[in-house]
Amino acid sequence: MTHRAGRSVAAAVAALTLAATACAQGAQRPSSDFREADGKAAAQRWVTREFTPSTLSKDQQLAEMDWFIKAAAPYRGMQINVVSETITTHEYESQQLAKAFTEITGIRIKHDLIQEGDVIEKLQTQIQGNQNIYDAYVNDSDLIGTHSRGTYVLPLSDYIAGEGRDVTSPTLDLNDFIGISFTTGPDKKVYQLPDQQFANLYWFRYDWFTDPAIKKQFKDLYGYDLGVPVNWAAYEDIADFFTNKVNGDGTIDGRKVYGHMDYGRKDPSLGWRFTDAWLSMAGNGDPGIPNGLPVDDWGIRVENCRPVGSSVTRGGDTNGPASVYALVKYIDWLKKYAPKEAAGMNFSESGPVPAQGAIAQQIFWYTAFTADLTKPGLPVVNADGTPKWRMAPSPHGAYWKDGHKLGYQDAGAWTFLKNTPKERRAAAWLYAQFVTSKTVSLKKTITGLTFIRDSDIRSAYFDDNAKKYGGLIEFYRSPARKQWTPTGTNVPDYPKLAQLWWQNVATAVTGETTPQQSMDNLAKQQDEILSRLERVGYGGACAPKLNPEQPAQQWLDQPGAPVAKLTDERGKPATVDYDKLLAQWKSGN
C-alpha cells in the first residue's frame, strides 16, 4: 500500500544532514556502563508485566531474552535509528518495544514514525545518495520486485548465512512467518522480514443481514437470499437495496443508511485502492497464486522473470476489458450507493466511516481497522463488546476464474541496505528480530491485529477470544488466506509505477477521461517506464524486455489474459450464508 512522495531539494538536504549524523554515530560508539545483570532484571520485568500472553512459557521467554542480552554485548551504547509508517502496531513498537529493547540489551533505539510515502522517500534518498539515513526500514513487501532486481538491499538469506550469523536468533523460526513468501524474490532468497500484515476483505453488518424482516424484504425484491455476496452482481443488488429500498426508503430505525462505502479523492491513497488487487478481484490477468502467470494482477505480462508489457497490444491486461470493467464498477458504485462525501475522501478519512453505524457493507475494507471498529460504545459494537459486523472474502467480478487471487495483503517488512555500516546493521537486525520474536509477537498482535506468525494465529488466546474479531481469526486460520497476496515480483520499480495509478484513476472519477481512456493512458505510461528500465538493464537477467506491439485482437484471440469483453458483465447474482461460510473455513474447505 505504498506510494512515492515527490522529491524536493529541501528533503534531499535534510536527508544528507541525517546521513552525516548517522555515519558519525557508526564511526564512534560511546561507552556504556550497562551490565548483563541489568538486562536480565529488565527482561524479568517486561516478560512479567507486558509480554503476556505469549506462545512461549515464561522460562522460554526469558531464555530468548537472554540470547538477545548476550548477542547485543558488542553494540551496547550505540543509538540505532529505524523508521516505519504510522499505524497502531508501529506505535506500540516505537513507544513500548523500543524502550524494552534498550533496557534489556543496552542498545538505544530511535524508532521514528512518519507517513508511508515519506518512508519510501528516505529509502530512495539513502539508495541514491549512498548515505546512511536509517539503519533499517519497515517498508511494504510490494517493493519485492524492485528490491530483488536492485543491488542495494542486503538479501536476508545471505546475511543470516554469512555476516549476520552471530546476530541471528536461534528462535527466529522463519517458517512461522505467514508472509515470508511475499518477501522472497525470484531467486528464492528472502529479502525482508515481515513485521506486520493485514488483508482487505468484505465487511458487512451481520445484525442487519440476519434480521428476519430485512431478509424477507430483500428476498421479495430480488428473488434470492440476503447473504455474503459471492460475486459483484450480488454486491450491487445489496448496495441498491440498503441505499434505496430497505424499509421502503433506505432507512433503518429512522436513519439513512448506505449499501456501499469507498473513497475517491485525487490523492496517492487512491492508487492503493487499485494496486491493492482491485483489478484481480474483477478478474483481470491470469489465474495463479501469488500473482497470476503469465499476466499478473497489475496487468503486467512476464516471460520467465522479465516484464514484457502492460498494454493489450504487448500481451498485457492493464487496459483490457476486465480492467476497464473494474474501473467502471468502482465509479458507478461510488456515485450511486456511497454517501456523497465519500467521493471527496482519501483512505484515512474513509476508514472510520463504517464505525459510525450507517454503512451496510464495504467490498474493500482493510483489516487494519479491526481494532478501531471493536471499541466499546461504538454504534457497531454490542453491549457485551462483540461486533455487530463481520468480515468475509470479498466478492469477485465477472471475469474472475477459479485460481485467481481474490484480494490483497499488506506486509510491512524490515529491509536492510548494503550501505549501512556493518555494526549499525547488526544492532538494527537485533531490534528487528526482537519486535518480531515469539516473546513479544502475540502481545503485539493483540494490540495491532496485524498477524505475522502462524503460532500467534493458532494460540490459545485467539481460541478463547475469536468472537471479538468478527471473523478475522477464522479467516487467518483458513486456507482461503493464501488467495490474498501483495504486489508481486512482476513489478520491477514499484515507486515509479505505483504513482501512475492514482493520477490516471482520478481523471476517470472526475469525468475528465473515460475509464477506457484512463486505463489506456496508464498502460502506455507503465510501458514507457518498463522501456526505460529495459534500456538501463535494471534487474539483470530479470530486467524488462518489452514485446513488440501487435494488433490487440491478436492477443485477445489467444488463450488466457487478456480476455475479450464479455457480452454479459453481470452474470447471475449469488450469495452464501455467513455461518455456513465460517463452518467451511473451520473445516479447512
Side-chain angles (χ1 to χ4, degrees):
M1 204 174 70
T2 309
H3 71 281
R4 183 189 183 191
R7 298 192 64 189
S8 67
V9 174
V13 171
L16 291 174
T17 303
L18 280 167
T21 303
C23 287
Q25 289 172 342
Q28 187 174 4
R29 187 171 77 247
S31 60
S32 172
D33 58 2
F34 182 92
R35 298 173 304 150
E36 193 170 304
D38 299 330
K40 288 180 179 293
Q44 279 279 357
R45 288 195 307 273
W46 282 97
V47 165
T48 302
R49 299 175 188 174
E50 180 63 27
F51 302 152
T52 180
S54 170
T55 56
L56 302 182
S57 68
K58 185 176 180 180
D59 285 347
Q60 288 173 322
Q61 288 179 287
L62 291 172
E64 188 169 60
M65 292 300 97
D66 194 53
W67 180 86
F68 279 102
I69 293 167
K70 289 179 169 60
Y75 314 104
R76 286 176 190 148
M78 293 177 69
Q79 177 177 301
I80 298 304
N81 304 312
V82 303
V83 67
S84 62
E85 64 174 300
T86 306
I87 63 171
T88 301
T89 297
H90 296 318
E91 288 172 352
Y92 180 69
E93 290 169 343
S94 178
Q95 295 165 12
Q96 294 288 334
L97 298 186
K99 181 181 179 185
F101 183 76
T102 296
E103 291 183 5
I104 292 169
T105 67
I107 300 171
R108 290 179 292 135
I109 296 292
K110 186 173 184 289
H111 186 149
D112 287 346
L113 302 177
I114 60 179
Q115 292 302 307
E116 196 172 8
D118 296 331
V119 173
I120 301 305
E121 178 74 19
K122 298 296 186 188
L123 183 71
Q124 290 184 298
T125 301
Q126 178 160 337
I127 293 163
Q128 294 163 3
N130 199 31
Q131 298 286 338
N132 193 60
I133 301 171
Y134 285 103
D135 303 306
Y137 294 78
V138 180
N139 74 274
D140 285 359
S141 73
D142 292 324
L143 277 88
I144 185 62
T146 318
H147 291 337
S148 62
R149 285 178 174 84
T151 58
Y152 53 86
V153 167
L154 183 67
L156 289 179
S157 297
D158 293 348
Y159 185 68
I160 289 168
E163 177 192 315
R165 185 184 295 112
D166 292 341
V167 285
T168 297
S169 170
T171 54
L172 177 60
D173 193 4
L174 285 179
N175 291 332
D176 193 38
F177 285 82
I178 61 173
I180 204 70
S181 64
F182 306 154
T183 62
T184 301
D187 55 6
K188 308 304 180 187
K189 290 182 180 180
V190 175
Y191 282 79
Q192 302 166 279
L193 182 71
D195 180 86
Q196 48 86 1
Q197 189 170 323
F198 53 90
N200 68 335
L201 295 172
Y202 170 74
W203 179 97
F204 71 105
R205 285 293 297 269
Y206 179 78
D207 56 336
W208 294 351
F209 276 56
T210 54
D211 182 289
I214 291 175
K215 288 175 68 176
K216 184 178 187 303
Q217 290 178 47
F218 183 87
K219 188 159 189 178
D220 288 347
L221 285 167
Y222 297 92
Y224 61 96
D225 290 331
L226 177 61
V228 174
V230 174
N231 55 23
W232 285 12
Y235 184 85
E236 195 167 62
D237 285 347
I238 296 167
D240 174 55
F241 171 69
F242 280 103
T243 305
N244 300 312
K245 298 174 181 175
V246 66
N247 295 322
D249 58 359
T251 64
I252 294 177
D253 297 329
R255 182 183 184 185
K256 179 73 187 97
V257 298
Y258 298 90
H260 178 62
M261 182 59 203
D262 216 320
Y263 62 96
R265 189 203 296 177
K266 187 176 183 180
D267 177 85
S269 66
L270 187 58
W272 312 336
R273 174 66 180 74
F274 278 77
T275 59
D276 291 0
W278 182 243
L279 269 59
S280 72
M281 291 161 67
N284 96 310
D286 285 303
I289 301 298
N291 295 100
L293 285 172
V295 182
D296 77 347
D297 46 301
W298 282 38
I300 298 175
R301 176 179 287 270
V302 295
E303 293 173 3
N304 296 318
C305 60
R306 287 186 181 272
V308 297
S310 303
S311 302
V312 171
T313 52
R314 300 185 193 274
D317 202 11
T318 304
N319 61 333
S323 302
V324 174
Y325 156 83
L327 181 53
V328 167
K329 287 299 181 186
Y330 157 76
I331 295 170
D332 283 354
W333 295 344
L334 180 65
K335 292 181 176 178
K336 290 180 180 178
Y337 307 124
K340 286 184 179 179
E341 57 271 21
M345 290 182 172
N346 62 19
F347 168 81
S348 300
E349 293 162 344
S350 68
V353 172
Q356 296 165 12
I359 305 299
Q361 61 170 359
Q362 186 166 338
I363 191 170
F364 192 94
W365 180 82
Y366 286 100
T367 62
F369 292 120
T370 305
D372 291 335
L373 264 71
T374 54
K375 292 177 180 176
L378 287 174
V380 295
V381 176
N382 292 309
D384 66 357
T386 57
K388 296 179 181 180
W389 51 267
R390 299 290 187 273
M391 58 186 82
S394 294
H396 53 71
Y399 290 83
W400 191 90
K401 298 179 181 69
D402 285 340
H404 266 109
K405 68 183 285 184
L406 194 48
Y408 171 86
Q409 285 200 63
D410 183 287
W414 287 99
T415 307
F416 297 83
L417 301 185
K418 290 180 179 178
N419 63 9
T420 296
K422 287 184 179 181
E423 278 196 334
R424 303 191 64 78
R425 183 163 57 225
W429 173 234
L430 286 172
Y431 177 66
Q433 293 174 94
F434 178 84
V435 300
T436 58
S437 67
K438 290 182 181 179
T439 290
V440 308
S441 66
L442 180 55
K443 181 60 182 287
K444 188 176 84 167
T445 297
I446 294 166
T447 302
L449 297 177
T450 54
F451 298 84
I452 55 169
R453 285 188 177 273
D454 192 62
S455 55
D456 292 334
I457 293 165
R458 303 188 188 283
S459 67
Y461 177 86
F462 286 117
D463 283 344
D464 297 338
N465 293 278
K467 66 180 182 179
K468 295 180 181 178
Y469 302 111
L472 181 64
I473 309 308
E474 289 84 354
F475 167 76
Y476 269 109
R477 288 180 173 184
S478 79
R481 77 164 189 239
K482 294 180 180 178
Q483 287 182 278
W484 277 254
T485 64
T487 302
T489 57
N490 291 14
V491 180
D493 191 333
Y494 186 93
K496 284 190 177 70
L497 290 163
Q499 66 181 334
L500 302 176
W501 286 70
W502 66 273
Q503 296 163 356
N504 285 290
V505 168
T507 61
V509 175
T510 59
E512 297 168 61
T513 55
T514 67
Q516 182 70 65
Q517 289 169 336
S518 289
M519 299 312 279
D520 286 345
N521 292 339
L522 172 61
K524 181 182 178 183
Q525 291 167 23
Q526 285 201 152
D527 282 346
E528 288 170 352
I529 288 178
L530 294 178
S531 178
R532 291 203 294 271
L533 295 173
E534 179 180 358
R535 286 197 297 272
V536 299
Y538 183 75
C542 291
K545 187 175 183 180
L546 286 180
N547 281 334
E549 290 199 80
Q550 300 179 39
Q553 198 60 45
Q554 288 191 25
W555 284 103
L556 294 171
D557 288 342
Q558 294 183 26
V563 173
K565 183 177 174 66
L566 297 174
T567 54
D568 176 13
E569 288 188 328
R570 176 171 163 82
K572 183 181 179 181
T575 58
V576 62
D577 178 84
Y578 177 75
D579 294 306
K580 290 180 181 176
L581 174 68
L582 212 60
Q584 290 175 347
W585 278 357
K586 289 180 178 178
S587 67
N589 295 322

